[in-house]
Amino acid sequence: MEQKTVTATINGEKKTYAYGTLLADIAKEYQDTQKYPIVLVTVNGKLKELHKTLKKDAKITFVTTADDAGHKTYQRSACLILLKAIYRLVGKEEVDNVTIHHSMGSGLYFTIQGNVRLDEEFLVQVKAHMQQIVDARLPIVKRSVSTDRAIEIFHRHHMFDKEKLFRYRRVSKVNIYSIGEFEDYFYGFMVHHTGYIQHFNLYLYDEGFVLQLPPRQNPETLLPFMPQHKLFQVQKQSQRWGKMLEISNVGELNNQITQVGIQHVLLVQEALHEAKISNIAAEIAAAKGSKKLIMVAGPSSSGKTTFSHRLSIQLAAHGLKPHPIGVDNYFLNREDTPLDEFGNKNYECLEAVDVAQFNKDMLELLEGKKVELPEFNFITGQREYKGNYLQLGTDDVLVIEGIHGLNDKLSSSLPKENKFKVYISALTSLNIDEHNRIPATDVRLIRRIVRDARTRGSSAARTISMWDSVRRGEEENIFPFQEQADVMFNSALIYELACLKVYAEPLLFGIDKDQPEYNEAKRLLKFFDYFVAIPSESIPFNSILREFVGGSCFQV
């Protein structure tokens, strides 16, 4: 006999519901207990969309727009509404494609091709139509179709990137989302109806436009659009590289791997990296000895260490004598490390560094004095001096690596004319398809999972559990200063995810269903399903990717 009621445990309390109660109704009942809108729930630890129903006893927790999964759901849903509005206004036959490229602050950068005049008037019309869709609170409907049927749908809608992508999917079913007659595929969950998307704006920028959305840290506030021109130009250059290699999305990458082979792409991509590093070294050398402090900074798993080694080699090739300096060696002794808001030692903040001693040593080196440099012992948590003396000559330069390198507070006593700042990050230009981007944070997280397992014996679960804290540190200590860099270097490799798949999948499969990191592991495993894997044997020994998979000639 069918069960008539089920018991939900919410906030430690048990409550009885009718069998088949909508999760949206439960979320609505408890919305007042949450600061931000509930967009998903977890049922016995498993993420669920709000159109699902409760059919068995379960523990329920709420996911809001301030949570990572909830924020991504908001972004995804806003993109679906945007696309529906554009196709409705212009007509399917007049649009060749609308492509999402990358994030810009809290917004997303798009381009549109076809019989469309992209100007302020057009964006005003799109925004107005989006608002109509939001105000109508239209249901976002999810249905499952066979992969073959999905390919037919994508071909009919002229979504050819998706058509290529799904020729390599092994799953038999594909989830399609629709608002009215408009349907599309998205990697990840959606909100229950369009009324959830209350905050958005559109801005013209460069050759496209930006869909401005609230940041995760303040998901009910729409910040003004603040373009980051240097970062944008680096991303644009990477898109040009992708077009040159004829690889802009995962389907095209898979075609290259299976039909041609990846060796040529691999060598060209590495050559582009080497040329860029050589150009940076040439710019430093052209300063005729004035740039003595090469400050290299970037977020976690950007490849700073390998980049610093490769830059040093190129500096030597340009007649300079580089010396590596790790800002981490100036950490305060562990007992003096400040605490974060959760009572944990905060190694990410500038106050964890002995800024005064760093400035004193660097200033004395600039004055030509002989200085004994420290080395931080990460086992004992103490700064040590082991007779490592350095004195700079005419051609000597310091390559200083650390997350605070772009922050002038780190080097406040040092002459500005002697500093050359380099920002490095992994800004992938590769898309899953035209409407599904690959976030740079996902690339860096996967890199770190692989590297931490190899170099520190850390489980994937531990790396994932620390990732929110790492990202908070980046938001506070790195990203606000990135536009102050003299040059930027994009360490992403267009082929790397196909290689990292081989290393990351076994680690992610090691996370059990009852662990809190399981949902993230499941998401990443689903992500890897898009890729045809490639072996790592052909990757050059000086590649930035070697810092993560191993085998680097720099022994990192």
Side-chain angles (χ1 to χ4, degrees):
M1 186 175 178
E2 189 179 84
Q3 185 178 353
K4 298 298 184 183
T5 61
V6 290
T7 300
T9 303
I10 304 173
N11 298 334
E13 297 180 355
K14 294 186 183 296
K15 187 157 185 180
T16 301
Y17 290 96
Y19 175 88
T21 297
L22 265 180
L23 294 176
D25 291 338
I26 299 175
K28 184 177 180 180
E29 180 184 349
Y30 281 88
Q31 181 58 66
D32 288 346
T33 68
Q34 305 295 312
K35 185 175 181 181
Y36 299 112
I38 299 168
V39 289
L40 302 171
V41 300
T42 65
V43 178
N44 292 330
K46 188 174 181 180
L47 271 176
K48 298 282 188 181
E49 290 170 301
L50 296 184
H51 70 266
K52 296 285 188 179
T53 58
L54 189 62
K55 295 182 178 179
K56 61 181 179 181
D57 295 348
K59 179 181 178 181
I60 293 178
T61 59
F62 300 114
V63 177
T64 76
T65 50
D67 297 308
D68 186 53
H71 183 244
K72 288 174 180 173
T73 297
Y74 188 99
Q75 284 188 325
R76 215 175 286 122
S77 306
C79 290
L80 178 62
I81 294 170
L82 168 72
L83 292 165
K84 176 177 170 60
I86 290 175
Y87 279 95
R88 178 70 178 84
L89 283 170
V90 180
K92 193 181 300 181
E93 298 76 18
E94 302 297 320
V95 179
D96 294 333
N97 62 61
V98 182
T99 303
I100 179 173
H101 293 283
H102 50 74
S103 63
M104 287 192 69
S106 59
L108 300 168
Y109 177 69
F110 288 79
T111 57
I112 182 169
Q113 293 180 329
N115 188 22
V116 180
R117 181 181 176 87
L118 181 57
D119 54 19
E120 290 286 359
E121 183 182 354
F122 175 73
L123 287 188
V124 168
Q125 292 175 340
V126 173
K127 182 183 176 184
H129 196 65
M130 288 178 68
Q131 192 62 57
Q132 290 174 12
I133 295 169
V134 169
D135 292 343
R137 297 168 63 90
L138 300 175
I140 297 179
V141 179
K142 181 179 184 177
R143 65 189 177 101
S144 183
V145 301
S146 71
T147 300
D148 289 342
R149 174 63 180 147
I151 291 172
E152 291 175 7
I153 292 170
F154 300 144
H155 183 81
R156 188 174 76 245
H157 292 329
H158 297 176
M159 296 176 181
F160 301 122
D161 288 359
K162 290 180 172 66
E163 186 180 358
K164 284 181 220 167
L165 178 72
F166 278 90
R167 294 193 188 282
Y168 294 95
R169 287 296 298 274
R170 291 171 291 187
V171 296
S172 58
K173 294 289 185 180
V174 176
N175 292 322
I176 304 287
Y177 287 98
S178 61
I179 303 174
E181 78 292 345
F182 180 77
E183 55 188 0
D184 202 349
Y185 170 79
F186 278 87
Y187 160 58
F189 290 148
M190 290 283 177
V191 297
H192 188 42
H193 59 71
T194 58
Y196 284 84
I197 310 304
Q198 290 292 322
H199 309 286
F200 62 90
N201 209 342
L202 298 173
Y203 297 90
L204 282 176
Y205 186 73
D206 197 69
E207 298 173 349
F209 65 94
V210 172
L211 170 62
Q212 184 76 346
L213 298 168
R216 178 187 165 189
Q217 297 86 345
N218 197 356
E220 293 287 89
T221 302
L222 194 64
L223 302 176
F225 173 52
M226 302 287 288
Q228 298 168 313
H229 300 299
K230 291 180 182 178
L231 192 66
F232 179 81
Q233 290 304 319
V234 172
Q235 291 169 316
K236 194 171 181 180
Q237 180 187 58
S238 296
Q239 288 166 19
R240 289 196 296 268
W241 288 356
K243 287 182 180 178
M244 181 181 70
L245 293 167
E246 298 182 340
I247 300 174
S248 298
N249 55 65
V250 177
E252 290 173 349
L253 175 63
N254 290 338
N255 282 349
Q256 181 74 29
I257 293 168
T258 59
Q259 298 174 19
V260 182
I262 199 64
Q263 190 65 28
H264 174 74
V265 168
L266 189 152
L267 292 173
V268 172
Q269 174 79 91
E270 293 289 351
L272 289 167
H273 266 193
E274 195 63 35
K276 180 70 174 178
I277 297 170
S278 178
N279 290 341
I280 294 171
E283 188 174 343
I284 294 167
K288 305 297 184 183
S290 66
K291 302 301 181 184
K292 288 288 192 181
L293 307 168
I294 318 305
M295 319 288 285
V296 179
S300 174
S301 303
S302 293
K304 294 186 291 293
T305 304
T306 298
F307 172 81
S308 296
H309 281 293
R310 287 175 65 172
L311 179 61
S312 294
I313 290 169
Q314 286 292 343
L315 289 168
H318 283 80
L320 301 175
K321 297 178 181 177
H323 302 275
I325 300 284
V327 176
D328 286 0
N329 287 321
Y330 284 88
F331 270 144
L332 296 173
N333 291 335
R334 191 165 291 159
E335 63 270 19
D336 299 321
T337 303
L339 305 180
D340 63 17
E341 66 270 32
F342 303 107
N344 302 316
K345 291 188 179 298
N346 187 354
Y347 298 104
E348 308 289 327
C349 66
L350 183 62
E351 291 73 23
V353 178
D354 190 340
V355 174
Q357 188 63 48
F358 173 80
N359 279 266
K360 179 176 181 295
D361 288 354
M362 297 304 109
L363 200 56
E364 289 183 354
L365 284 170
L366 288 175
E367 293 169 351
K369 296 178 182 178
K370 190 175 184 180
V371 175
E372 184 180 11
L373 298 174
E375 181 178 322
F376 193 81
N377 187 325
F378 284 90
I379 297 175
T380 64
Q382 302 294 306
R383 202 183 326 155
E384 300 173 349
Y385 289 87
K386 298 181 177 180
N388 179 20
Y389 287 92
L390 180 63
Q391 189 171 15
L392 299 185
T394 304
D395 297 325
D396 292 280
V397 294
L398 300 175
V399 181
I400 301 169
E401 177 203 334
I403 66 171
H404 301 287
L406 304 184
N407 185 350
D408 282 328
K409 289 182 179 179
L410 172 69
S411 53
S412 56
S413 301
L414 307 179
K416 185 177 181 180
E417 61 271 18
N418 292 137
K419 296 185 236 180
F420 187 89
K421 298 178 180 179
V422 183
Y423 177 75
I424 174 174
S425 191
L427 305 165
T428 183
S429 62
L430 192 71
N431 269 16
I432 296 173
D433 59 50
E434 64 266 55
H435 300 159
N436 289 274
R437 69 187 185 95
I438 298 174
T441 51
D442 279 359
V443 177
R444 293 191 293 106
L445 172 58
I446 291 164
R447 283 180 170 189
R448 182 156 175 164
I449 287 170
V450 172
R451 185 190 62 192
D452 284 2
R454 179 179 64 84
T455 63
R456 302 179 183 179
S458 295
S459 67
R462 174 166 172 75
T463 301
I464 291 171
S465 71
M466 295 170 58
W467 192 239
D468 262 357
S469 174
V470 170
R471 288 185 61 187
R472 282 197 302 272
E474 294 168 352
E475 293 285 349
E476 183 178 347
N477 300 306
I478 300 173
F479 298 147
F481 307 103
Q482 58 194 13
E483 285 290 309
Q484 297 178 20
D486 294 294
V487 298
M488 292 188 175
F489 180 79
N490 183 2
S491 71
L493 294 152
I494 207 160
Y495 67 85
E496 69 176 278
L497 288 165
C499 180
L500 287 167
K501 171 177 179 168
V502 178
Y503 296 86
E505 279 189 331
L507 301 171
L508 293 167
F509 276 120
I511 299 178
D512 293 331
K513 288 185 176 182
D514 58 351
Q515 292 181 267
E517 297 78 21
Y518 174 75
N519 283 321
E520 182 69 350
K522 183 181 177 183
R523 182 183 73 85
L524 293 174
L525 285 167
K526 182 182 177 184
F527 171 65
F528 277 125
D529 275 349
Y530 296 116
F531 291 86
V532 174
I534 60 173
S536 63
E537 284 79 3
S538 299
I539 299 170
F541 296 130
N542 69 338
S543 172
I544 280 175
L545 191 54
R546 288 285 179 190
E547 183 172 327
F548 305 97
V549 303
S552 172
C553 61
F554 302 119
Q555 299 180 348
V556 293

